Amino acid sequence: MYCLVGLGNPGTEYQQTRHNAGFLVIDQLAQDNRIDLGRRQFKSMYGKGRLGDREVLLVKPETFMNLSGQAVSSWVNYFKIPLNQVLIIHDDLDLPLGTVRLKPSGSSGGHRGLSSIIELLGTSEIPRLRLGIGRPARGTTVVDYVLAGFSGAESKLFQQSTTRAAAAACSFVTEGLEYAMSRFNGKAGDSSVSDDSISD
């Protein structure tokens, strides 16, 4: 079984914000693959279905971002899911808007949701899928920036990256991490960008 976890904050006021990139990718995956996300367990909304011939859980923790590890560790421990079959999907300030990047492991990079997961699972060896949201303009705090929505031009680019990220997550399950990295790491609309050409 695979477990794809999108990070975000519950509530309609946060629904279309930058910090909810992970939730939006899970929503896209559910829509594309006709998986119902209406169930609740382990402080999460979730759905169970198949991607190709693989059984998959699509999970949206409802703990609020900073406590995401509570939900993720519950799913992993209950179903005894190998960590290489878990994918954490989240926003990333250090990548330009529209960029998608899969990684097999790494630090939290200051992302509090990822920090919570790493702490409660006791390892940073967890695959993750990062969606670039860029840095705020001078004079705007990081908190205000990540909890705000996208402008019109930004929204179109972000939607393209959400679609790309959903395809990357599906490829992670059906074809493996290395293949998904080589095919999808890059910027929305640019199929020529490889993993090696994107800096952290």
Side-chain angles (χ1 to χ4, degrees):
M1 177 184 290
Y2 284 75
C3 185
L4 309 184
V5 183
L7 302 188
N9 289 307
T12 55
E13 67 269 38
Y14 300 111
Q15 195 167 359
Q16 296 297 320
T17 62
R18 294 179 175 89
H19 220 21
N20 270 33
F23 275 13
L24 296 172
V25 174
I26 293 293
D27 289 342
Q28 185 74 53
L29 275 166
Q31 178 182 315
D32 292 347
N33 296 280
R34 298 182 180 180
I35 297 174
D36 180 11
L37 292 174
R39 304 181 191 181
R40 279 186 165 83
Q41 190 173 340
F42 300 136
K43 301 179 181 178
S44 309
M45 288 188 66
Y46 80 100
K48 183 184 283 189
R50 302 190 80 81
L51 296 179
D53 62 354
R54 307 289 174 86
E55 189 174 20
V56 65
L57 290 166
L58 302 183
V59 176
K60 295 165 65 175
E62 294 190 299
T63 55
F64 285 93
M65 185 67 78
N66 295 0
L67 300 176
S68 297
Q70 293 180 2
V72 175
S73 61
S74 294
W75 287 104
V76 169
N77 293 332
Y78 183 83
F79 286 103
K80 296 180 171 54
I81 304 171
L83 292 184
N84 65 357
Q85 293 177 200
V86 176
L87 183 67
I88 308 300
I89 308 168
H90 64 92
D91 61 299
D92 196 303
L93 288 160
D94 292 326
L95 293 177
L97 178 65
T99 302
V100 170
R101 181 164 183 174
L102 281 152
K103 288 183 69 177
S105 61
S107 71
S108 69
H111 191 286
R112 292 183 178 180
L114 199 52
S115 293
S116 173
I117 293 166
I118 290 170
E119 179 183 0
L120 289 181
L121 289 179
T123 180
S124 61
E125 299 294 312
I126 311 161
R128 70 284 310 266
L129 174 54
R130 303 153 63 195
L131 276 76
I133 60 171
R135 284 276 174 184
R138 186 179 299 239
T140 302
T141 68
V142 168
V143 172
D144 287 343
Y145 180 72
V146 299
L147 295 182
F150 295 96
S151 68
E154 290 176 330
S155 182
K156 182 177 180 180
L157 181 55
F158 183 73
Q159 179 56 54
Q160 291 173 345
S161 70
T162 300
T163 301
R164 185 185 186 101
C170 188
S171 179
F172 166 81
V173 173
T174 61
E175 298 167 297
L177 177 62
E178 293 296 329
Y179 178 86
M181 287 172 60
S182 68
R183 181 175 177 189
F184 291 100
N185 279 4
K187 194 166 185 178
D190 182 1
S191 60
S192 65
V193 180
S194 69
D195 179 61
D196 292 337
S197 66
I198 308 169
S199 60
D200 280 316

mmCIF file of all heavy atoms in Angstrom, residues 1 23-24 34 44 58 63 73 111 118 124 166 192-193:
data_model
loop_
_atom_site.group_PDB
_atom_site.id
_atom_site.type_symbol
_atom_site.label_atom_id
_atom_site.label_comp_id
_atom_site.label_asym_id
_atom_site.label_seq_id
_atom_site.Cartn_x
_atom_site.Cartn_y
_atom_site.Cartn_z
ATOM 1 N N MET A 1 0.837 -1.199 0.000
ATOM 2 C CA MET A 1 0.000 0.000 0.000
ATOM 3 C C MET A 1 0.874 1.253 0.000
ATOM 4 O O MET A 1 1.883 1.299 0.705
ATOM 5 C CB MET A 1 -0.925 0.014 1.215
ATOM 6 C CG MET A 1 -1.786 1.270 1.326
ATOM 7 S SD MET A 1 -2.779 1.293 2.825
ATOM 8 C CE MET A 1 -3.959 0.009 2.460
ATOM 9 N N PHE A 23 -2.798 19.909 -0.124
ATOM 10 C CA PHE A 23 -4.222 19.557 -0.175
ATOM 11 C C PHE A 23 -4.732 19.618 -1.613
ATOM 12 O O PHE A 23 -5.493 18.749 -2.058
ATOM 13 C CB PHE A 23 -5.036 20.532 0.664
ATOM 14 C CG PHE A 23 -5.122 20.203 2.134
ATOM 15 C CD1 PHE A 23 -4.291 19.262 2.720
ATOM 16 C CD2 PHE A 23 -6.040 20.856 2.938
ATOM 17 C CE1 PHE A 23 -4.376 18.976 4.080
ATOM 18 C CE2 PHE A 23 -6.149 20.579 4.287
ATOM 19 C CZ PHE A 23 -5.314 19.645 4.873
ATOM 20 N N LEU A 24 -4.329 20.660 -2.335
ATOM 21 C CA LEU A 24 -4.833 20.865 -3.688
ATOM 22 C C LEU A 24 -4.367 19.759 -4.635
ATOM 23 O O LEU A 24 -5.103 19.344 -5.537
ATOM 24 C CB LEU A 24 -4.413 22.238 -4.200
ATOM 25 C CG LEU A 24 -5.013 23.418 -3.416
ATOM 26 C CD1 LEU A 24 -4.391 24.735 -3.859
ATOM 27 C CD2 LEU A 24 -6.531 23.466 -3.566
ATOM 28 N N ARG A 34 -11.000 9.306 -9.491
ATOM 29 C CA ARG A 34 -12.320 8.975 -8.940
ATOM 30 C C ARG A 34 -12.222 8.308 -7.569
ATOM 31 O O ARG A 34 -12.811 7.258 -7.319
ATOM 32 C CB ARG A 34 -13.101 8.089 -9.917
ATOM 33 C CG ARG A 34 -13.361 8.766 -11.247
ATOM 34 C CD ARG A 34 -14.167 7.895 -12.174
ATOM 35 N NE ARG A 34 -14.412 8.573 -13.449
ATOM 36 C CZ ARG A 34 -15.098 8.040 -14.457
ATOM 37 N NH1 ARG A 34 -15.604 6.823 -14.359
ATOM 38 N NH2 ARG A 34 -15.266 8.730 -15.579
ATOM 39 N N SER A 44 -7.692 12.898 10.019
ATOM 40 C CA SER A 44 -7.489 13.165 8.594
ATOM 41 C C SER A 44 -8.771 12.933 7.808
ATOM 42 O O SER A 44 -9.622 12.136 8.201
ATOM 43 C CB SER A 44 -6.427 12.214 8.005
ATOM 44 O OG SER A 44 -5.241 12.186 8.755
ATOM 45 N N LEU A 58 -5.054 8.315 -0.097
ATOM 46 C CA LEU A 58 -4.877 9.754 -0.279
ATOM 47 C C LEU A 58 -5.308 10.426 1.019
ATOM 48 O O LEU A 58 -6.446 10.256 1.459
ATOM 49 C CB LEU A 58 -5.723 10.274 -1.445
ATOM 50 C CG LEU A 58 -5.474 9.648 -2.820
ATOM 51 C CD1 LEU A 58 -6.356 10.327 -3.867
ATOM 52 C CD2 LEU A 58 -4.018 9.741 -3.218
ATOM 53 N N THR A 63 -5.067 18.280 11.280
ATOM 54 C CA THR A 63 -4.467 18.683 12.556
ATOM 55 C C THR A 63 -3.989 20.126 12.555
ATOM 56 O O THR A 63 -3.512 20.609 13.576
ATOM 57 C CB THR A 63 -3.253 17.795 12.853
ATOM 58 O OG1 THR A 63 -2.352 17.880 11.735
ATOM 59 C CG2 THR A 63 -3.669 16.348 13.049
ATOM 60 N N SER A 73 2.095 9.809 11.196
ATOM 61 C CA SER A 73 2.651 8.683 11.957
ATOM 62 C C SER A 73 1.577 7.648 12.275
ATOM 63 O O SER A 73 1.860 6.441 12.304
ATOM 64 C CB SER A 73 3.323 9.177 13.242
ATOM 65 O OG SER A 73 2.389 9.838 14.087
ATOM 66 N N HIS A 111 10.085 23.951 6.924
ATOM 67 C CA HIS A 111 8.645 23.732 6.757
ATOM 68 C C HIS A 111 8.119 23.018 8.003
ATOM 69 O O HIS A 111 8.520 21.896 8.306
ATOM 70 C CB HIS A 111 8.390 22.894 5.504
ATOM 71 C CG HIS A 111 6.951 22.842 5.094
ATOM 72 N ND1 HIS A 111 6.008 22.108 5.772
ATOM 73 C CD2 HIS A 111 6.296 23.457 4.071
ATOM 74 C CE1 HIS A 111 4.838 22.256 5.178
ATOM 75 N NE2 HIS A 111 4.985 23.071 4.150
ATOM 76 N N ILE A 118 8.893 14.535 10.390
ATOM 77 C CA ILE A 118 10.238 14.001 10.626
ATOM 78 C C ILE A 118 10.446 13.694 12.103
ATOM 79 O O ILE A 118 10.995 12.649 12.474
ATOM 80 C CB ILE A 118 11.299 14.987 10.113
ATOM 81 C CG1 ILE A 118 11.275 15.031 8.576
ATOM 82 C CG2 ILE A 118 12.690 14.625 10.622
ATOM 83 C CD1 ILE A 118 12.120 16.134 7.972
ATOM 84 N N SER A 124 14.401 11.493 8.521
ATOM 85 C CA SER A 124 14.157 12.399 7.396
ATOM 86 C C SER A 124 14.185 11.653 6.069
ATOM 87 O O SER A 124 14.119 12.262 4.999
ATOM 88 C CB SER A 124 15.203 13.522 7.380
ATOM 89 O OG SER A 124 16.500 12.980 7.219
ATOM 90 N N ALA A 166 0.357 16.274 -9.515
ATOM 91 C CA ALA A 166 -0.543 15.120 -9.405
ATOM 92 C C ALA A 166 -0.063 13.984 -10.304
ATOM 93 O O ALA A 166 -0.057 12.812 -9.912
ATOM 94 C CB ALA A 166 -1.968 15.523 -9.751
ATOM 95 N N SER A 192 11.673 19.859 -20.523
ATOM 96 C CA SER A 192 13.095 19.594 -20.764
ATOM 97 C C SER A 192 13.945 19.704 -19.510
ATOM 98 O O SER A 192 15.116 19.394 -19.531
ATOM 99 C CB SER A 192 13.640 20.594 -21.798
ATOM 100 O OG SER A 192 13.607 21.907 -21.274
ATOM 101 N N VAL A 193 13.357 20.159 -18.398
ATOM 102 C CA VAL A 193 14.146 20.386 -17.195
ATOM 103 C C VAL A 193 14.304 19.091 -16.427
ATOM 104 O O VAL A 193 13.353 18.403 -16.125
ATOM 105 C CB VAL A 193 13.464 21.441 -16.286
ATOM 106 C CG1 VAL A 193 14.294 21.664 -15.029
ATOM 107 C CG2 VAL A 193 13.302 22.747 -17.034
#
